Amino acid sequence: QVQLVESGGGLVQAGGSLRLSCAASGGTFSSSIMGWFRQAPGQEREFVASISGSGGRIRYADSVKGRFTISRDNAKNTVYLQMNSLKSEDTAVYSCASRGLWSSEWHYWGQGTQVSVSS
Protein backbone atom coordinates (compact mmCIF):
# COMPACT_ATOMS: atom_id res chain seq x y z
CA GLN A 1 0.00 0.00 0.00
CA VAL A 2 1.28 3.43 -0.95
CA GLN A 3 1.98 5.89 1.84
CA LEU A 4 2.13 9.62 1.19
CA VAL A 5 3.29 12.16 3.77
CA GLU A 6 3.08 15.89 3.20
CA SER A 7 5.18 18.52 4.92
CA GLY A 8 6.07 22.18 4.58
CA GLY A 9 2.79 23.82 5.43
CA GLY A 10 2.55 26.77 7.74
CA LEU A 11 1.50 30.36 8.16
CA VAL A 12 2.65 32.92 5.64
CA GLN A 13 1.70 36.48 4.78
CA ALA A 14 -0.02 37.31 1.53
CA GLY A 15 2.53 37.65 -1.22
CA GLY A 16 4.87 35.20 0.43
CA SER A 17 5.99 31.73 -0.55
CA LEU A 18 5.95 28.18 0.74
CA ARG A 19 7.22 24.91 -0.62
CA LEU A 20 5.28 21.76 0.15
CA SER A 21 6.80 18.31 -0.05
CA CYS A 22 5.17 14.92 -0.39
CA ALA A 23 7.26 11.86 0.36
CA ALA A 24 6.04 8.56 -1.06
CA SER A 25 6.77 4.99 -0.07
CA GLY A 26 5.39 1.55 -0.77
CA GLY A 27 4.94 1.93 -4.52
CA THR A 28 6.65 2.55 -7.83
CA PHE A 29 6.93 6.29 -7.51
CA SER A 30 8.60 7.01 -10.84
CA SER A 31 5.68 5.54 -12.79
CA SER A 32 2.99 7.27 -10.77
CA ILE A 33 1.16 10.43 -11.66
CA MET A 34 1.26 12.72 -8.65
CA GLY A 35 -1.12 15.50 -7.80
CA TRP A 36 -1.78 18.22 -5.28
CA PHE A 37 -5.24 19.06 -4.03
CA ARG A 38 -6.56 21.46 -1.47
CA GLN A 39 -9.64 21.82 0.68
CA ALA A 40 -10.70 24.97 2.47
CA PRO A 41 -13.12 24.89 5.40
CA GLY A 42 -16.67 24.27 4.24
CA GLN A 43 -15.60 23.69 0.65
CA GLU A 44 -15.06 20.73 -1.61
CA ARG A 45 -11.60 19.44 -2.32
CA GLU A 46 -10.23 20.93 -5.51
CA PHE A 47 -7.48 20.03 -7.92
CA VAL A 48 -4.35 22.18 -7.80
CA ALA A 49 -1.68 20.57 -9.97
CA SER A 50 -0.42 17.26 -11.32
CA ILE A 51 2.75 15.89 -12.83
CA SER A 52 3.51 12.76 -14.82
CA GLY A 53 6.08 10.17 -13.83
CA SER A 54 8.90 11.70 -15.82
CA GLY A 55 7.80 15.26 -15.18
CA GLY A 56 7.01 15.79 -18.85
CA ARG A 57 3.32 16.54 -18.48
CA ILE A 58 2.16 19.11 -15.97
CA ARG A 59 -1.27 20.57 -15.34
CA TYR A 60 -2.43 23.40 -13.12
CA ALA A 61 -5.73 24.75 -11.99
CA ASP A 62 -6.39 28.17 -13.48
CA SER A 63 -6.49 29.67 -10.01
CA VAL A 64 -2.83 28.86 -9.36
CA LYS A 65 -1.32 29.00 -12.84
CA GLY A 66 1.66 31.30 -12.94
CA ARG A 67 2.05 31.25 -9.17
CA PHE A 68 2.51 27.59 -8.24
CA THR A 69 5.04 25.12 -9.63
CA ILE A 70 4.83 21.37 -9.26
CA SER A 71 7.95 19.26 -9.59
CA ARG A 72 9.26 15.87 -8.58
CA ASP A 73 12.49 14.17 -7.66
CA ASN A 74 12.12 10.49 -8.40
CA ALA A 75 15.43 9.67 -6.73
CA LYS A 76 13.94 10.99 -3.49
CA ASN A 77 10.42 9.66 -4.11
CA THR A 78 9.17 13.17 -3.50
CA VAL A 79 6.87 15.61 -5.24
CA TYR A 80 6.94 19.32 -4.49
CA LEU A 81 4.62 22.26 -4.77
CA GLN A 82 6.32 25.64 -4.83
CA MET A 83 3.76 28.28 -3.99
CA ASN A 84 4.57 31.91 -4.71
CA SER A 85 2.54 35.10 -4.52
CA LEU A 86 0.23 33.47 -2.03
CA LYS A 87 -3.23 34.88 -1.49
CA SER A 88 -5.62 34.53 1.40
CA GLU A 89 -7.84 32.37 -0.78
CA ASP A 90 -5.02 29.83 -1.00
CA THR A 91 -5.62 28.98 2.64
CA ALA A 92 -6.52 25.29 2.82
CA VAL A 93 -5.34 21.86 3.77
CA TYR A 94 -3.12 20.68 0.95
CA SER A 95 -2.92 16.98 0.19
CA CYS A 96 -0.90 15.00 -2.30
CA ALA A 97 -2.26 12.02 -4.16
CA SER A 98 -1.09 9.39 -6.61
CA ARG A 99 -2.58 7.32 -9.39
CA GLY A 100 -1.49 5.12 -12.23
CA LEU A 101 -1.23 6.40 -15.78
CA TRP A 102 -4.39 4.62 -16.91
CA SER A 103 -6.48 5.39 -13.86
CA SER A 104 -8.97 8.23 -13.82
CA GLU A 105 -9.14 8.29 -10.03
CA TRP A 106 -6.67 9.23 -7.33
CA HIS A 107 -6.41 6.19 -5.09
CA TYR A 108 -3.75 7.15 -2.55
CA TRP A 109 -3.78 10.25 -0.40
CA GLY A 110 -1.61 11.84 2.21
CA GLN A 111 -2.87 13.20 5.50
CA GLY A 112 -2.62 16.82 4.40
CA THR A 113 -0.69 19.84 5.56
CA GLN A 114 -2.22 23.16 6.56
CA VAL A 115 -1.38 26.28 4.60
CA SER A 116 -2.64 29.53 6.10
CA VAL A 117 -2.18 32.84 4.32
CA SER A 118 -2.79 36.01 6.27
CA SER A 119 -3.78 39.23 4.55
Side-chain angles (χ1 to χ4, degrees):
Q1 188 171 120
V2 173
Q3 300 290 127
L4 304 174
V5 181
E6 303 94 337
S7 62
L11 176 64
V12 65
Q13 295 185 37
S17 299
L18 283 174
R19 190 179 78 154
L20 307 183
S21 298
C22 173
S25 62
T28 306
F29 179 79
S30 62
S31 64
S32 299
I33 298 171
M34 302 297 298
W36 285 99
F37 296 77
R38 66 187 183 185
Q39 186 169 23
Q43 300 185 21
E44 294 292 317
R45 183 165 56 201
E46 65 175 344
F47 169 81
V48 175
S50 65
I51 185 169
S52 62
S54 67
R57 178 167 292 184
I58 293 174
R59 300 187 68 185
Y60 296 101
D62 288 342
S63 59
V64 307
K65 194 171 299 181
R67 299 188 298 120
F68 290 11
T69 302
I70 189 171
S71 62
R72 66 193 296 159
D73 185 342
N74 288 343
K76 297 183 181 295
N77 294 150
T78 301
V79 64
Y80 305 95
L81 185 68
Q82 178 67 47
M83 305 184 294
N84 298 326
S85 302
L86 283 162
K87 307 173 181 179
S88 60
E89 52 262 45
D90 295 319
T91 295
V93 174
Y94 284 71
S95 300
C96 67
S98 68
R99 65 172 175 88
L101 178 63
W102 304 111
S103 176
S104 61
E105 297 183 354
W106 302 86
H107 284 277
Y108 299 100
W109 295 84
Q111 84 289 347
T113 185
Q114 177 70 48
V115 172
S116 298
V117 183
S118 61
S119 59

